[in-house]
Amino acid sequence: MGILDIEVWGKDSKKREERLGTCKVDISALPLKQTNCLELPLESCLGALLMLVTLTPCAGVSVSDLCVCPLADPSERKQISQRYCLQNSLKDMKDVGILQVKVLKAVDLLAADFSGKSDPFCLLELGNDRLQTHTIYKNLNPEWNKVFTFPIKDIHDVLEVTVFDEDGDKPPDFLGKVAIPLLSIRDGQPNCYVLKNKDLEQAFKGVIYLEMDLIYNPVKASIRTFTPREKRFVEDSRKLSKKILSRDVDRVKRITMAIWNTIQFLKSCFQWESTLRSTIAFVHHKGEPLLCMQCTLLSDNIGPSL
């Protein structure tokens, strides 16, 4: 409980980093269990940083490897279960329970790079809590083997697990998503989920393997049902699609080749490389057959792109 130092950095087109400014937050002055909206002026530069800071004491919340899985330790599991037993139903009503998610691996992901590979990482979201795995480079079958624990504030929340392709300084590419209601979780059961599109309406490409454990107090969960849902503060931004980019690059190549072929055709007519072709083109020039021949050539090369 001290001073939180924050630095804001920027990168230019040459990927050089520059520190833009700094600010400080006195954590000890903030109230607990309350979302604090802070607008902090940056030192040594113009502008301010808008932050949402919530201090919530919670046990067992962590990111770890499988070998140090919190709920795998019997004594720790017993302690957490005791915390959410019926006898403690009237203590800390906002602390409903805890969710543990093992992100094991994904298989047969979409190739987002031109090399036929992807650089996948996995983002987990529960309400306003967001955690993510590390990135595994050049792999369509990544194994993360990470364990995440989340505090549960509303038993009717939905865990969203999204796989992205890291793309350097650019926004990551979408590789698939699953949404799992907390009430549908069966403790300790490894499950294979088919990745879906952003709207969760159609199957995408690939599957992801998850194992989840849920411990909660049913009394607190029932009471929280009648309170307003927590406001979502995170908004999704539009992301660059490499699939669309690849398609557009191919289209530009076809148009460029069509223009080049047309130029070569006109050049051959003026240079009389083919006497018959040049004669026909210039004799009927007033009727614009040369223009029609150009359009036909363009249309044949571009095809449906136009």
Side-chain angles (χ1 to χ4, degrees), residues 84 86 89-90 93-97 152-156 183 216-228:
Y84 298 109
L86 291 176
S89 297
L90 299 180
M93 299 302 296
K94 292 184 178 182
D95 186 14
V96 174
I152 296 175
K153 304 168 187 174
D154 188 342
I155 197 61
H156 299 287
L183 288 174
Y216 70 97
N217 182 286
V219 176
K220 293 182 182 180
S222 300
I223 295 175
R224 285 286 294 171
T225 301
F226 299 99
T227 60

Side-chain angles (χ1 to χ4, degrees), residues 58-228:
C58 50
V61 177
S62 63
V63 179
S64 63
D65 295 323
L66 289 179
C67 58
V68 287
C69 177
L71 292 182
D73 182 354
S75 60
E76 187 168 353
R77 188 183 188 95
K78 181 179 179 181
Q79 181 181 358
I80 294 175
S81 298
Q82 181 65 30
R83 181 181 178 187
Y84 298 109
C85 68
L86 291 176
Q87 288 85 343
N88 295 323
S89 297
L90 299 180
K91 295 181 179 179
D92 196 357
M93 299 302 296
K94 292 184 178 182
D95 186 14
V96 174
I98 189 172
L99 170 68
Q100 176 180 275
V101 183
K102 295 180 182 179
V103 182
L104 304 175
K105 63 181 180 178
V107 176
D108 195 26
L109 294 177
L110 178 71
D113 297 335
F114 294 113
S115 62
K117 298 291 185 179
S118 292
D119 303 321
F121 68 91
C122 193
L123 176 69
L124 293 84
E125 299 176 89
L126 185 65
N128 283 310
D129 296 323
R130 296 160 61 95
L131 296 172
Q132 73 178 54
T133 67
H134 58 290
T135 300
I136 298 181
Y137 295 95
K138 307 299 180 183
N139 201 316
L140 299 180
N141 302 287
E143 294 187 14
W144 293 289
N145 292 322
K146 290 293 183 180
V147 182
F148 301 87
T149 54
F150 293 89
I152 296 175
K153 304 168 187 174
D154 188 342
I155 197 61
H156 299 287
D157 269 340
V158 176
L159 173 68
E160 295 183 359
V161 182
T162 310
V163 182
F164 289 105
D165 168 68
E166 184 181 300
D167 196 16
D169 295 333
K170 299 177 182 178
D173 287 312
F174 177 83
L175 296 181
K177 179 180 182 179
V178 295
I180 306 163
L182 295 183
L183 288 174
S184 69
I185 293 175
R186 299 294 176 263
D187 290 349
Q189 297 290 331
N191 287 289
C192 173
Y193 296 91
V194 176
L195 293 172
K196 297 185 178 181
N197 62 2
K198 293 181 180 181
D199 298 326
L200 299 170
E201 295 176 351
Q202 297 178 351
F204 209 62
K205 190 176 190 304
V207 296
I208 188 168
Y209 290 82
L210 306 172
E211 183 178 323
M212 292 165 285
D213 269 295
L214 178 66
I215 299 176
Y216 70 97
N217 182 286
V219 176
K220 293 182 182 180
S222 300
I223 295 175
R224 285 286 294 171
T225 301
F226 299 99
T227 60

